[in-house]
Amino acid sequence: MAAGVPGIVAFRDSGDPDIIVTMTAESWALFTDAVKAGAYDITA
């Protein structure tokens, strides 16, 4: 995660550290809320 750019969240792809992903702070909050709610849980 990177800090210092107001309103933007930046992070690297762990599978390919040369890729930098960015999104708005609002999108990041929506994404993390969905993860916490189990929206991306994989069921077999």
Side-chain angles (χ1 to χ4, degrees):
M1 299 280 302
V5 181
I8 299 294
V9 176
F11 51 97
R12 295 193 185 271
D13 180 336
S14 62
D16 187 349
D18 291 331
I19 295 175
I20 299 172
V21 179
T22 61
M23 62 178 61
T24 65
E26 180 183 3
S27 292
W28 177 254
L30 292 170
F31 172 70
T32 56
D33 287 346
V35 169
K36 291 175 188 176
Y40 300 104
D41 288 353
I42 298 173
T43 57

